[in-house]
Amino acid sequence: MEALGEIKQKIFRTECKEFLYEGMSRSEPVMTVDEHGIIDNYFIYAGNHEMTMVSPPMIAFGIYSDIGKTAYINTGIYDEGAPLKKNQIDRGIIDEEYIREYERLYRELRKFVFQNCDDAQKDVLGKYVEHLYRLSGNGLWEDYLEAVPGFFEWAAGEGVGTAYGS
């Protein structure tokens, strides 16, 4: 199973690399599945250096990372009139160990994503969702929920809450 860093590098082997402009940020990947396999879904947004203010997503794309192929590109999601929004991140809990744990959870989740979960898998799923929220911040959280609703609907169906920052 590939590490999260390797999954993210797959972007540069597709035409999606063209959307990684200097000064723009890329979301963490969130998985969905279709008849061709796992899709790692991303969105591109702008933010200040500290990521305390962020824009809505401008572009979304998905990659079949296991085969290094683009699944889709959606360039029509940007609302130029949308204001920046506050994005509070609790940096007190985010350290190298927290990030390593997030990466481990993502790799583990790839083994059972969109399957019925046993208790251990539900624990991994719940911890992954919480880590994603904490790493991304409350301002981006709604964007994740809107960009990849299928993942979060599956998580909720497995008993994992996603109502952070409410």
Side-chain angles (χ1 to χ4, degrees):
M1 191 62 51
E2 294 180 271
L4 181 57
E6 294 171 293
I7 297 291
K8 292 176 182 179
Q9 287 300 312
K10 300 288 176 102
I11 296 171
F12 296 100
R13 296 186 191 143
T14 71
E15 65 268 30
C16 298
K17 67 183 174 209
E18 303 301 320
F19 303 118
L20 302 178
Y21 305 114
E22 185 174 340
M24 301 301 285
S25 296
R26 173 204 29 81
S27 70
E28 289 296 313
V30 176
M31 291 174 266
T32 55
V33 176
D34 72 7
E35 66 275 6
H36 302 293
I38 295 174
I39 301 171
D40 290 293
N41 299 273
Y42 301 87
F43 57 86
I44 304 295
Y45 61 95
N48 63 0
H49 181 69
E50 298 83 22
M51 298 311 260
T52 57
M53 297 294 291
V54 294
S55 76
M58 299 173 173
I59 297 168
F61 59 86
I63 297 175
Y64 296 109
S65 297
D66 294 334
I67 59 174
K69 204 171 177 188
T70 301
Y72 70 91
I73 297 171
N74 184 351
T75 59
I77 63 173
Y78 184 57
D79 176 1
E80 291 185 35
L84 293 177
K85 56 189 170 183
K86 291 182 181 180
N87 188 50
Q88 183 177 358
I89 298 175
D90 182 359
R91 299 197 188 283
I93 64 166
I94 300 172
D95 58 16
E96 287 183 39
E97 181 60 34
Y98 195 84
I99 293 169
R100 277 195 298 275
E101 175 73 0
Y102 167 73
E103 292 171 347
R104 183 193 68 74
L105 292 165
Y106 192 84
R107 187 172 52 248
E108 192 67 28
L109 183 59
R110 286 183 79 79
K111 297 175 185 175
F112 63 86
V113 69
F114 285 92
Q115 297 176 17
N116 291 326
C117 296
D118 61 28
D119 288 343
Q121 292 167 330
K122 287 178 184 181
D123 185 55
V124 168
L125 177 58
K127 287 178 182 176
Y128 163 77
V129 170
E130 181 180 353
H131 277 62
L132 177 63
Y133 169 76
R134 301 233 182 266
L135 288 168
S136 301
N138 65 349
L140 286 174
W141 191 241
E142 290 298 318
D143 296 325
Y144 278 97
L145 297 175
E146 290 176 20
V148 196
F151 176 84
F152 296 104
E153 290 165 4
W154 168 69
E158 292 298 321
V160 172
T162 60
Y164 296 100
S166 301

